[in-house]
Amino acid sequence: PMGVQIPIERDQSDFPRLSQLGDILGLNQFEVGSVHKGLADKAYRAQAEQILGDGRGLTADRVEKLKEIQQGLSLPDADAQKIIKGITSKKMLQDMQAQIAMGTLTIADIRKMKEEGVDIENNISMDKRMSMFRKNAEKRLTDGSGSSDLSALTETLPEDLSITKEKAQSELLKIANEKKRSTMVQAVAELRQKKVGDVIKSAKNLVACHGVAPESKLEWAVQEELKDIFSVFVMEGAGAEEQDKLQAALGLDDAICAELKEVVGAGKFQLKADVADEALF
């Protein structure tokens, strides 16, 4: 007031002087207390920012030093924690923006930030979050892990990125439609080269695509190729449940699959490399 500058309190010993200044300015005890708290907040924030400014986080030594400063300023624990959280969240947001610009932000980073209280929904645009969702979904649907833990895609990933389940499912359907077709092309190419291990991986990717979007139908003209993929899957020891899932993904009926299993069981199935090139397209 009236051009008077009040220095930030260094410690608790400055409080009596602040009280005397309050008397001079005609402030009551409540007003003096409010000024004291405001100055204590500013002093603590300034020193905390200096201590935490290098982004190395809260080490044991730093926690001890910050506690010492807090006690010197008579600052309540809740207020001190709020200030520290605000500083670390601000640093995280700065790092996040840099990672987004470089394309290096991961889901693990997102989870850590959410745990630290960063508001992901308001600090990362929907376009960026959807881009991350697509990138992670495409990676998962082509990693050869089949139908295991698909809830990570349908539930955990949307929750991490603050995307509604409806929006996520709609996007998964698009991705599954694209990947089923491209994976089938790849599987047929692998069949022709008799790369059994690669065929199995592609078959598991088909199962994964079908698992997240069962309404996505695979349109494929050459049924013999569908039969061969299924037969290789059976021949390599896939379990009954996984066989059923691949059958559903390939759209083969029970009678055909029963016949294929019988042929494989009798040791009569052999891979052939005489599929016409145009069958791939």
Side-chain angles (χ1 to χ4, degrees):
M2 298 185 298
V4 175
Q5 293 184 339
I6 303 176
I8 292 177
E9 297 168 274
R10 293 186 301 274
D11 54 44
Q12 196 171 5
S13 65
D14 281 339
F15 186 74
R17 287 193 290 274
L18 177 62
S19 182
Q20 291 170 4
L21 182 58
D23 291 340
I24 294 171
L25 296 174
L27 302 176
N28 60 39
Q29 286 301 309
F30 177 78
E31 290 169 331
V32 171
S34 295
V35 172
H36 170 77
K37 183 181 181 307
L39 294 178
D41 282 354
K42 288 180 180 179
Y44 186 77
R45 182 182 301 280
Q47 294 183 70
E49 285 176 343
Q50 186 176 5
I51 291 170
L52 301 173
D54 60 5
R56 291 166 52 195
L58 283 168
T59 63
D61 289 344
R62 291 179 175 190
V63 169
E64 185 177 348
K65 180 62 178 175
L66 287 167
K67 188 66 176 177
E68 181 183 326
I69 295 168
Q70 175 195 338
Q71 290 174 344
L73 294 168
S74 300
L75 193 67
D77 287 344
D79 292 347
Q81 289 302 315
K82 184 178 179 180
I83 289 170
I84 291 173
K85 188 174 183 179
I87 293 169
T88 55
S89 294
K90 182 179 178 181
K91 183 65 171 65
M92 279 189 168
L93 282 173
Q94 291 171 342
D95 292 343
M96 180 183 71
Q97 294 302 329
Q99 287 178 290
I100 290 174
M102 293 186 292
T104 58
L105 189 67
T106 68
I107 294 300
D109 295 327
I110 294 288
R111 289 194 189 115
K112 182 179 179 181
M113 289 175 189
K114 290 187 78 170
E115 288 170 1
E116 294 293 330
V118 175
D119 187 347
I120 297 300
E121 191 170 356
N122 288 324
N123 285 290
I124 304 180
S125 70
M126 177 57 77
D127 286 346
K128 292 288 186 184
R129 284 182 280 134
M130 287 304 298
S131 178
M132 289 188 71
F133 180 81
R134 283 190 291 272
K135 180 180 177 180
N136 281 270
E138 288 174 356
K139 181 179 178 181
R140 171 60 183 82
L141 294 177
T142 56
D143 66 4
S145 56
S147 61
S148 62
D149 195 26
L150 286 177
S151 62
L153 270 185
T154 58
E155 297 176 18
T156 309
L157 186 58
E159 182 178 347
D160 287 339
L161 292 169
S162 298
I163 297 170
T164 64
K165 287 186 177 181
E166 293 76 16
K167 195 173 185 68
Q169 188 57 40
S170 175
E171 192 63 28
L172 280 175
L173 180 58
K174 294 177 187 176
I175 296 170
N177 277 327
E178 295 168 3
K179 292 302 176 184
K180 272 190 176 182
R181 177 73 184 176
S182 61
T183 300
M184 188 63 196
V185 170
Q186 184 174 336
V188 172
E190 292 157 354
L191 273 172
R192 290 165 52 218
Q193 298 173 63
K194 298 187 177 182
K195 294 181 177 179
V196 173
D198 291 339
V199 173
I200 295 300
K201 180 178 178 180
S202 291
K204 288 183 176 181
N205 289 338
L206 286 169
V207 167
C209 288
H210 191 74
V212 297
E215 62 271 45
S216 170
K217 302 300 180 183
L218 175 64
E219 301 293 339
W220 199 257
V222 186
Q223 192 173 59
E224 288 304 314
E225 292 165 351
L226 300 175
K227 292 180 180 179
D228 282 348
I229 291 172
F230 183 82
S231 297
V232 170
F233 203 58
V234 174
M235 181 179 69
E236 291 300 302
E241 184 178 354
E242 288 300 299
Q243 290 178 26
D244 290 343
K245 290 177 180 178
L246 181 60
Q247 176 184 341
L250 296 173
L252 296 172
D253 63 39
D254 291 342
I256 289 175
C257 288
E259 182 181 345
L260 294 173
K261 291 176 186 178
E262 186 176 338
V263 170
V264 171
K268 296 179 181 179
F269 173 72
Q270 288 186 338
L271 275 177
K272 297 180 181 179
D274 58 358
V275 181
D277 287 349
E278 59 267 20
L280 291 175
F281 306 99

